[in-house]
Amino acid sequence: MLLLLVVIFTLSACASSDNEPNGNAGNAQYSAGSDNQEAEADAGAANDAEAQGEDAASGGGELIVVDQNIAASLDPVQPLTSSYLRKIGAAEALFKVNAAGETVPELAEEATQVDPTTWEIRLRPGATFWSGAAVDADAVIASLERSRANDAQAQPFLAELTLEKVDAATLRVTTSRAQLPVPLNLSYYQTVIHNAGQAHDSVETMDLTGMYRVTAFTPKQSMELARNEHYWGAAPAIERIVYEEVADEQTRVLSALSGRSHVVYQIPVTSMPQFESREDVEISAEPAANTQTVYLNLSRPQLADVQVRQALAWGVDREELVIAAAEGQSTPVTTWLGSNPAFAEAKNAVYSAYDPDQAGALLDDAGWMLGEDGIRYKDGEPLQLRLMTWGQDQALGEALQSQWGRIGVQVEVQHGDYSLIQTARESGDWDASIEAWSTFGEELTLLQGQYAPEGSGNYGGYNDEETNALLAQLAEAADQQSRRELTLQINTRVAEQAPVISLYPRPQLTAVSTALQGFEPHFRQFEHIVHAGLTLAAR
């Protein structure tokens, strides 16, 4: 059986969206003090590990990481490539976000806000690319400009920034609007720093800065990495990493349970019982800063009525959804920003409790009357909607189908590939769909993306004068307190108008072997998962 499992894992490590915009305001000065403390802690953990066993003492060991998807390319400007490179310890940005949600320096040493539209960033001395080339102002600007020109996903974070060299160790960033949190924008994975003068089409020519170098790569199958012996920071204790793509969720589960892998991402919630009695592997269930959201097509006649949308929002028992669809591995939120740790007070705003009676009253007022068959009708037409789901959200769709059925709404759940949702949106032939966008980031960028008329995440065509006016005020707000107040007002206004229905943060389950010490859960999984303090106990 062991041999059979090894063969299955070997053969299945082959080809298979969580959507994320960004930004978030922080302090006017960012120094490397806390980051140096992290580096010292990492180094201390590595030193402690040397006394734990021969494997750690030799500085060796091989970490095996399994994911649902890995990169299809080595070039950081190709779609999603930079997220996987950063996740596995190969790529770094000027800044990073720690598990507490604080923006701290990475390749930068310090950032200072000179005035409302100007920042100066001093680079970390001694930082180099794998090739030995210096990470200086020229290299950083060339990298970010290459990302701006070639990576459409980098545009939201770079479009409002003008970069110029002050000296070899310093660059000046000018923003097109006041109080833009530049360090946070430059922490996102699309802004990883790479040597723009090198070709990134092979492991021999790619040139990044991370503590691990890529040594072998098969697109959408596997990536092998070795410790970067000339890394500018604390040297990692683990010598090698193997990063594999396993699209099938049950094969990923078996990889974790067999002990073959040390870290396995994207464990389905339905597999939680298989880990309950295990002592050799644990589930990390750090809540993600995103919100499982039902997007509604406001061009549909039944959904154009705000009372119908509000009734759907009141008719959701979020506590029940967390149990039925997330195996209890999340917490309810009633507004879109509720999953952002910086806006915890929004978690239970507006729809403060499950209230089917309120939902029924709103539908009555809107002219949708309950028939003898339990379905509501208006002008002889039933109140129907088709709810499209994908990935691991089928159970969530079916739970909503049951809950909305209790208030007289006839729901059809259509589960399939995400491409079906995209096609339906392009044609306009859809009623409702579920997905989760990140809620952590710079407030205006996030909210415009979701609720401005031309926002990339405004799938349903929401166009509300009051919301638009508040967004315009937020764009002009000069201080952080005003920005916060306006952000909460927009969040509340949108919830009241209900173009979307917020449910709970999408579960983020990772299986971690107890042989691996130092794993750090993070609400942004691509952030700082592989770090110098990781150690492997001898087996």
Side-chain angles (χ1 to χ4, degrees):
M1 282 300 294
L2 180 58
L3 178 60
L4 178 60
L5 280 172
V6 171
V7 172
I8 289 172
F9 297 143
T10 301
L11 292 177
S12 62
C14 56
S16 113
S17 144
D18 203 15
N19 307 302
E20 286 198 63
N22 178 57
N24 190 14
N27 297 325
Q29 185 162 6
Y30 297 71
S31 72
S34 60
D35 198 39
N36 287 335
Q37 291 167 9
E38 284 188 31
E40 291 168 5
D42 286 348
N47 291 333
D48 290 344
E50 293 182 1
Q52 294 178 5
E54 294 181 2
D55 197 35
S58 66
E62 183 174 81
L63 176 68
I64 299 177
V65 180
V66 170
D67 213 337
Q68 183 175 8
N69 296 281
I70 69 167
S73 166
L74 294 173
D75 191 336
V77 302
Q78 294 302 310
L80 297 180
T81 297
S82 53
S83 67
Y84 298 113
L85 290 170
R86 186 165 196 182
K87 190 175 190 177
I88 207 64
E92 300 169 311
L94 291 175
F95 301 89
K96 64 185 178 183
V97 174
N98 64 24
E102 301 164 332
T103 305
V104 296
E106 193 167 37
L107 288 171
E109 183 178 48
E110 184 177 69
T112 303
Q113 188 173 15
V114 178
D115 59 47
T117 60
T118 308
W119 290 76
E120 285 195 355
I121 298 173
R122 188 167 72 246
L123 301 175
R124 191 181 293 276
T128 64
F129 294 101
W130 295 340
S131 64
V135 179
D136 57 19
D138 288 329
V140 168
I141 291 172
S143 172
L144 295 174
E145 292 297 351
R146 182 172 183 265
S147 295
R148 190 204 305 264
N150 295 283
D151 184 359
Q153 292 182 312
Q155 285 295 320
F157 318 113
L158 299 174
E160 297 183 272
L161 310 184
T162 300
L163 312 172
E164 60 180 315
K165 174 182 175 180
V166 176
D167 55 45
T170 312
L171 56 147
R172 180 177 295 115
V173 182
T174 305
T175 63
S176 61
R177 58 184 169 90
Q179 306 302 332
L180 188 67
V182 168
L184 183 58
N185 272 28
L186 296 180
S187 76
Y188 207 64
Y189 60 75
Q190 263 98 3
T191 67
V192 297
I193 302 304
H194 57 284
N195 189 339
Q198 291 286 99
H200 290 265
D201 53 5
S202 73
V203 297
E204 290 78 19
T205 59
M206 66 185 300
D207 203 13
L208 304 174
T209 67
M211 64 183 69
Y212 288 96
R213 295 186 61 163
V214 180
T215 59
F217 176 63
T218 302
K220 299 293 290 176
Q221 290 191 35
S222 66
M223 180 181 290
E224 297 177 16
L225 304 97
R227 184 165 52 201
N228 174 14
E229 300 297 344
H230 304 290
Y231 182 56
W232 59 266
I238 296 173
E239 184 176 358
R240 297 176 303 279
I241 299 178
V242 177
Y243 190 27
E244 299 178 336
E245 175 172 310
V246 177
D248 180 72
E249 61 184 28
Q250 287 308 313
T251 307
R252 291 199 303 278
V253 170
L254 287 173
S255 184
L257 293 172
S258 72
R260 177 186 178 276
S261 306
H262 300 102
V263 179
V264 180
Y265 293 104
Q266 303 298 330
I267 296 294
V269 293
T270 53
S271 297
M272 285 288 294
Q274 295 177 258
F275 293 87
E276 288 177 355
S277 61
R278 299 295 294 259
E279 296 183 356
D280 57 336
V281 60
E282 299 175 340
I283 292 293
S284 171
E286 183 73 11
N290 63 30
T291 301
Q292 285 280 52
T293 303
V294 180
Y295 288 82
L296 302 175
N297 184 356
L298 275 57
S299 68
R300 293 300 211 208
Q302 74 274 34
L303 297 173
D305 189 333
V306 65
Q307 288 186 304
V308 172
R309 303 195 303 266
Q310 290 170 338
L312 293 173
W314 284 111
V316 172
D317 185 342
R318 293 167 177 82
E319 296 278 0
E320 182 180 86
L321 290 181
V322 167
I323 295 170
E327 298 289 329
Q329 300 301 310
S330 192
T331 56
V333 298
T334 62
T335 71
W336 187 72
L337 274 179
S339 64
N340 184 331
F343 293 97
E345 65 266 50
K347 191 173 183 179
N348 297 308
V350 186
Y351 304 101
S352 54
Y354 170 51
D355 195 340
D357 292 335
Q358 172 75 351
L362 285 164
L363 292 173
D364 287 342
D365 287 346
W368 293 96
M369 309 309 295
L370 198 61
E372 293 182 359
D373 58 359
I375 304 298
R376 290 184 177 270
Y377 293 85
K378 183 177 182 179
D379 299 328
E381 296 293 326
L383 181 52
Q384 298 176 322
L385 65 86
R386 176 166 52 102
L387 177 61
M388 303 181 75
T389 64
W390 68 290
Q392 299 178 25
D393 292 341
Q394 184 171 5
L396 174 57
E398 291 171 351
L400 285 167
Q401 179 185 48
S402 174
Q403 291 185 2
W404 283 336
R406 298 172 201 164
I407 60 173
V409 182
Q410 191 174 50
V411 179
E412 173 196 353
V413 177
Q414 180 180 332
H415 185 75
D417 189 80
Y418 187 68
S419 62
L420 297 176
I421 295 177
Q422 291 176 304
T423 300
R425 283 179 180 151
E426 290 169 2
S427 68
D429 184 20
W430 66 287
D431 299 328
S433 64
I434 298 175
E435 65 182 82
W437 279 71
S438 172
T439 61
F440 182 83
E442 195 269 319
E443 301 95 330
L444 181 64
T445 302
L446 289 171
L447 295 171
Q448 283 184 328
Q450 292 289 307
Y451 306 120
E454 303 302 323
S456 59
N458 185 3
Y459 302 125
Y462 179 63
N463 189 354
D464 174 63
E465 288 187 9
E466 183 173 332
T467 302
N468 295 342
L470 288 169
L471 286 169
Q473 292 179 48
L474 180 57
E476 299 296 327
D479 62 272
Q480 182 55 27
Q481 183 59 35
S482 297
R483 293 173 63 83
R484 182 176 184 83
E485 291 173 359
L486 285 164
T487 296
L488 289 168
Q489 287 181 51
I490 294 166
N491 185 60
T492 297
R493 173 63 180 178
V494 169
E496 291 169 346
Q497 292 297 297
V500 301
I501 298 171
S502 303
L503 306 174
Y504 56 79
R506 177 176 283 170
Q508 183 175 264
L509 305 184
T510 304
V512 182
S513 169
T514 55
L516 179 67
Q517 303 298 311
F519 179 84
E520 296 180 354
H522 201 294
F523 63 91
R524 295 206 303 192
Q525 278 198 330
F526 64 83
E527 195 91 53
H528 201 50
I529 297 302
V530 172
H531 59 88
L534 289 177
T535 59
L536 285 170
R539 295 189 181 184

